[in-house]
Amino acid sequence: AKGAASPYHYHKNCEHFYFIMEGQATVETPEGVTEVGPGDMVFIPAEERHRLRSITPLFYFEFQAPNRFQTTTKEHAMATTFIKTGNLPRTRVPGAGEATDVLNEAICGAKNVRATLRWLHAGDRLDAAPKASTHQLIYLMDGHGVITLNGKDYPVGKGAGVYFGPGESAGIRPDGADGVKLFHLVVPEVADQA
């Protein structure tokens, strides 16, 4: 709802991100207040204080990844990173459309999560390989497609998503000539450090 806000808070042992799908909001951090909108990714490191406040009705992904690496201290905390995903370069992947990483260690220091935007065109297919130690989410942001799970096809449209756990796989392709836009999230399982 317009004006709704989280309390000003932090997460001691996890990284946090918001990916704005629709609407406008502000993110408040110790560095100030920044307006965000569709396509913006906000990465908040462990222990960074923050608050999300909607300006208009808001639809967004929020994710917290356990930080099993050494906890960041206040004296050495990373700053919140605001990523305008529409400005990132796309890479053509033969047979699998175009892709751009929007969240990873190189972009913002995220150690516990990786996110990619993908655009599939007629004839393209994304096959998310089974990985023994990862959790994955594919969310259909735009278009109509077909998701394949366990050898069976399921028609899907904007707003559909599929989660698959360690060792599971999924495939997706556009349904017809129009393409699809996907948000692909990968979270590795990280062994607790002694």
Side-chain angles (χ1 to χ4, degrees):
K2 181 178 177 181
S6 64
Y8 194 57
H9 66 288
Y10 70 96
H11 307 278
K12 185 172 182 178
N13 293 312
C14 69
E15 298 169 331
H16 191 153
F17 80 80
Y18 300 114
F19 182 51
I20 309 301
M21 305 292 282
E22 297 175 7
Q24 300 291 320
T26 60
V27 176
E28 179 182 353
T29 68
E31 292 83 31
V33 177
T34 302
E35 190 168 320
V36 294
D40 289 345
M41 175 73 70
V42 181
F43 172 75
I44 303 160
E47 295 192 15
E48 178 81 1
R49 292 190 181 278
H50 60 280
R51 172 187 354 249
L52 177 68
R53 181 182 308 273
S54 67
I55 297 171
T56 66
L58 194 61
F59 177 58
Y60 62 96
F61 276 113
E62 177 177 8
F63 191 83
Q64 299 170 10
N67 186 349
R68 294 188 176 121
F69 299 89
Q70 182 176 359
T71 302
T72 307
T73 63
K74 283 293 185 190
E75 295 79 34
H76 299 96
M78 297 171 45
T80 298
T81 304
F82 295 90
I83 303 157
K84 297 286 188 188
T85 63
N87 296 337
L88 296 173
R90 295 183 190 183
T91 301
R92 181 78 183 137
V93 181
E98 298 172 279
T100 186
D101 283 345
V102 296
L103 186 67
N104 63 31
E105 190 168 6
I107 293 172
C108 61
K111 297 180 191 289
N112 299 305
V113 64
R114 179 178 177 173
T116 305
L117 289 178
R118 298 182 178 272
W119 295 264
L120 302 180
H121 310 286
D124 291 334
R125 179 180 176 87
L126 171 65
D127 286 306
K131 297 181 181 179
S133 61
T134 63
H135 300 266
Q136 298 185 60
L137 171 76
I138 296 176
Y139 178 81
L140 188 62
M141 295 174 62
D142 199 16
H144 290 85
V146 177
I147 289 180
T148 305
L149 298 169
N150 299 319
K152 185 172 179 185
D153 289 343
Y154 300 90
V156 292
K158 179 180 178 179
V162 62
Y163 160 82
F164 43 110
E168 297 179 321
S169 64
I172 187 167
R173 63 179 166 76
D175 183 13
D178 293 333
V180 295
K181 182 178 180 182
L182 309 171
F183 177 69
H184 184 193
L185 181 70
V186 179
V187 181
E189 287 185 356
V190 179
D192 287 327
Q193 308 255 331

